Amino acid sequence: MLTCGASAEMLMSTNFENAEDGTAYSRPQWQADGFVTGTWDNGLEKRTELTNSCSVSGTKSLKVMYPKGEFGPANSGCQVPLLMEPRPEAYMSYSVRFSENFTWGTSNYGGKLPGLAGGDNCSGLRKCDGTNGWTTRYMWRTGGRIGLYLYDMAHSGVDFQLYHKDGTPVRVRPGEWIHLAQRVKMNSAPTVADGEVQVWANGEEVLFLEGCQFTTNGDKIDKLYISTFHGGDDETWCPIDTCYTYFDDFCVGTTYVDVCQQKCRKPSLGNDVALCHANGPVVLKANLPKEYGLRWYFNGKMLNDNSDELEVKNTGTYVVVADSGRCVTSDTVEVTTQPNLSLPETVNLCSQSFVTLDCGADATADCQWTKDGVVMAGENNSTLLVNAPGVYTVLVSAGECMPAEATTKVTSGLISIADVEGKVGDEVVLTPENEGTYDWYKSLDDAPVNAETYAVKVDEGVNYVYVKDGNGVNGLVGKKALSENMYHRTATEDENVQFVVKRDLTLDSLSVYPSEPMDVVIRITNEDNGLLVFCKTYYDLRGGMEERLPIELNLPKGHYHIDAAGSTGQFFHSHTDADISYPYSIDGVIDITGCGKAWMNKWYLYFYNWRVTSGNYCAAKAIKVSGVQETAHNLVQADDFDIKVTGDELTIDGTKVVSMARLFNANGHAVAVYGKMHNKKMTINLKKFRPGVYMLEVNGDRTTTRKIVIR
C-alpha cells in the first residue's frame, strides 16, 4: 500500500510556469527549468507551445500539436530525452488532457505517450537484446484506451491494458485530464528476470508487472523519455483533424510520494467584483493556510507581493497561484468598474424541485428581480429561489456603478400546476393541468398518496406540497459500452436489433462505435405494420471512439427493429462476450430482445446504452400554498417590520403587539419558531442554520414575509 504525502527526493519536475504564453518549449527552455536534455529532439520548436488555456496546477500547460494527415515522430507530436543519473528504481508522473476534437487515428488507432527509459531507448519494433536499451512509454488505442507500451527483452512493443479495480479498462475522454504515475524497478542481475513496472491512473493502481528483464549490460533508468506522436508507420494512423494534447506537472522522484496525484486546497478569491461597490480599494484574499507560498499576477504580470491579501485599486484580471511544495493551484477574479453579472441563458427545472439563480452581484449591491416583467416584491438579494418557469431579470446598482441587468429564461419539465393562496383553515383542491394519477407528498419524507387530485388544508404562512409522476422513467438500457472482445462489421439492412415497447416512451439517444470516419443512416421500423417510423443520416462520425447519436423519437407500444443501413464504413460490436444475454430490459417499459437473425444473438450488435424516457420523469413539483389571515390586515394598518441582518444576527423591530416569527427552509418546512418580542424587538442568532435561502414570516400588527440568505 503506497500513500501520498510529503516529498522525499524530487529528481526533476516542472509545471510550465516559468515561460511566456505562446512560446515553444524547446531544449533551452527545458534546460532553464533544471532538466538535462539529450543532443537531439523532434518537433519541439514547431509543434509545442506554452498555453494558459487550461492547466492542472498554476496557470499554464504544455500544448503539443498532431497535424492532420501526419504520423510518426518526424512530423507528429514531439520527442526529447530528459537525462538523469542512472538508478535501479525511479518513479515518474504527469497529467495529460486530449483536445475535444482528438481522433485516435484514421483506420488504425494508436499513439505514444511519455514514459521512463534507459540505454539506447529500444523502440520502433526493434528487438531488445539487453544491450540496446528499453522503454516503458504508454500507448493510446481505440476509443481512448490507455496501455503500457513495453519494450524489454521479452516484449517488442506489446500493450498491457490498464484496468480499474472493477475490471473496466482505463480510458481517457477528450477534454478531461488524467494523471498517470509509473514506477520502474530494473532487473537485479544481467540474467535475472525480476524487474517490475507499476502504473497508477488518477491515484488508483491499474497495472503491476513482475518478471521483467530489461538489460544484460547493466544499463539503468537514465531518462524520462518525452515521446508522443500518432502511429504507427503509415497514413492509416493519422488524425483526421489537427489535434492536441496538453501536459502538466512532469516529475521524476525516488518514491511514490514524489509523483502521486496531489489533492490541494485552492485559493478562493470569490466572485468578480466592481470597484464602485466599495468605499476605497478592494481587498482580495486567498484564504489559505500560511504554509502555502503565494504569487499574485495582474493582467499576466507577476506582482511583488506574496501575502494572503492584495489591495486592488485598478481594474483588470488578478490571479493568485498557491504552491504547497508539490502541488500548485490558482484562482482568478476580474475587477471591473461596474457590476459584472452572470446568469445562464437558460435553466431547466427537472432534476430538482427548485433552482437558485445567482447573479454574482456584490453583497452591498441593490438588486431587484422581476418575473415576466412584473416586479417581485421583497426579492432584493443577489440570489433568487425559483420553482416555476418564466423569464427572470435582475437589475443591479451599487455606489457609483452604472446599473447592470441580467436575464435568464427558466423552463420546466415539472408537472404543471399553479401555486395557490387561501384563507387560513380553508381546504383547497390541487389539480394538475394534465389529467392522470399522481403521487402527492405533504413532505418528501412521507409515503405518497396516489390520486388524481389532492385536498390540503391551508395553514398559516407559506408551506409546500409536492407532486410527481410515480411511473416516470429516465433510464439506460442495453449493453453499456463496447467491450475489449470486439469485432468490426459492415452493417446492412437485414442485420437489425429487435425491441419491444411496452408503454409509450421516447427513445432519446444511443451510442455507436464507428471503426473509421463515416456517414450512417439509422432507421427504425414498426414490425407490426411494416412502416418506417424513423430515418436520419448522421454525417462525419469520427472513427475509433464512441459517438452519441440523438434519436428523440416518440414510440407507442409495439414491436420494432433498428438498423444502420446506408453506412459508408464499418461498426464495432461486442463479439461473443460471456455476459451477452437477451433481453435487456427496463421492466414494463422496453425489452431489447435480440437480433433479426437468431444466430447473431451470440453477439451484441452496434447500438449501446439507449437512453429511454417515459411519462414525467422529473423531480417532484413544489406547490406553494400560502395562508392569508384576513383579520390581521383588516384590523390594523401598519408599516412593515424593520428586518435587518447584521453579521450572524437577525433583528426584527417595529411591532406594536405580541408577535411570532417563523423561519422556513427552501422546501417550505418550518425550521424554527420564535415567541413574543421584548420591548418591540426580537433578535435571532443565525449561526446554527446552514447556509442557504430561507423565508422569514413575522405575525403581529400584520403578516410580513422576507427572504433571508444565510451565507
Side-chain angles (χ1 to χ4, degrees), residues 275 298-299 312-318 335-337:
L275 283 173
F298 172 57
N299 290 341
V312 172
K313 299 179 181 179
N314 299 307
T315 60
T317 302
Y318 291 83
V335 178
T336 65
T337 56

Side-chain angles (χ1 to χ4, degrees), residues 499-577:
F499 63 100
V500 180
V501 173
K502 296 189 170 183
R503 71 187 229 204
D504 293 356
L505 58 79
T506 298
L507 177 55
D508 180 78
S509 59
L510 49 77
S511 289
V512 295
Y513 293 83
S515 66
E516 57 195 285
M518 60 190 289
D519 303 334
V520 64
V521 178
I522 300 295
R523 311 187 326 160
I524 298 177
T525 301
N526 185 325
E527 292 205 329
D528 295 329
N529 54 28
L531 295 178
L532 184 68
V533 296
F534 179 84
C535 183
K536 182 176 179 178
T537 303
Y538 298 86
Y539 296 98
D540 300 323
L541 302 186
R542 298 167 293 177
M545 64 178 63
E546 178 183 7
E547 287 280 5
R548 192 73 184 165
L549 304 183
I551 305 296
E552 298 172 355
L553 176 66
N554 297 322
L555 291 171
K557 289 190 292 185
H559 296 76
Y560 299 86
H561 75 252
I562 181 171
D563 61 59
S567 167
T568 60
Q570 294 186 320
F571 285 108
F572 286 114
H573 66 87
S574 297
H575 191 66
T576 60
D577 289 356

Side-chain angles (χ1 to χ4, degrees), residues 107-141:
S107 57
N108 279 314
Y109 309 101
K112 312 301 189 296
L113 292 170
L116 293 170
D120 291 335
N121 311 331
C122 180
S123 58
L125 297 182
R126 290 183 294 162
K127 178 175 176 56
C128 304
D129 60 12
T131 67
N132 60 350
W134 56 273
T135 52
T136 55
R137 295 171 296 172
Y138 301 103
M139 191 92 173
W140 74 72
R141 292 292 188 182

Side-chain angles (χ1 to χ4, degrees), residues 92 94 111-117 134-141 145-152 155-163 170 180-184 195-200 206-210 212 214:
M92 178 276 299
Y94 55 84
K112 312 301 189 296
L113 292 170
L116 293 170
W134 56 273
T135 52
T136 55
R137 295 171 296 172
Y138 301 103
M139 191 92 173
W140 74 72
R141 292 292 188 182
R145 291 183 294 119
I146 296 291
L148 178 75
Y149 190 60
L150 178 62
Y151 277 85
D152 69 355
H155 308 92
S156 294
V158 174
D159 280 14
F160 287 87
Q161 176 65 53
L162 310 180
Y163 287 97
V170 174
L180 296 173
Q182 178 183 114
R183 164 185 167 263
V184 174
E196 297 175 352
V197 183
Q198 200 169 2
V199 177
W200 296 263
V206 291
L207 181 70
F208 192 175
L209 288 182
E210 299 177 286
C212 298
F214 294 103

Side-chain angles (χ1 to χ4, degrees), residues 198-243:
Q198 200 169 2
V199 177
W200 296 263
N202 289 338
E204 177 190 2
E205 184 179 314
V206 291
L207 181 70
F208 192 175
L209 288 182
E210 299 177 286
C212 298
Q213 187 175 4
F214 294 103
T215 69
T216 59
N217 65 354
D219 280 344
K220 304 296 184 185
I221 305 164
D222 60 18
K223 65 180 69 68
L224 166 56
Y225 193 15
I226 304 297
S227 174
T228 179
F229 53 89
H230 269 73
D233 57 0
D234 61 38
E235 64 277 359
T236 63
W237 300 86
C238 299
I240 61 176
D241 289 308
T242 296
C243 53

Side-chain angles (χ1 to χ4, degrees), residues 76-94:
S76 175
C78 68
Q79 291 196 130
V80 63
L82 304 177
L83 309 180
M84 61 184 178
E85 288 294 323
R87 58 183 55 246
E89 184 177 25
Y91 292 75
M92 178 276 299
S93 75
Y94 55 84

Side-chain angles (χ1 to χ4, degrees), residues 248-271:
D248 207 353
D249 297 339
F250 277 106
C251 54
V252 180
T254 60
T255 72
Y256 181 63
V257 169
D258 299 324
V259 304
C260 61
Q261 187 179 29
Q262 298 287 323
K263 301 294 186 182
C264 282
R265 283 182 57 182
K266 280 177 61 82
S268 178
L269 298 180
N271 294 331

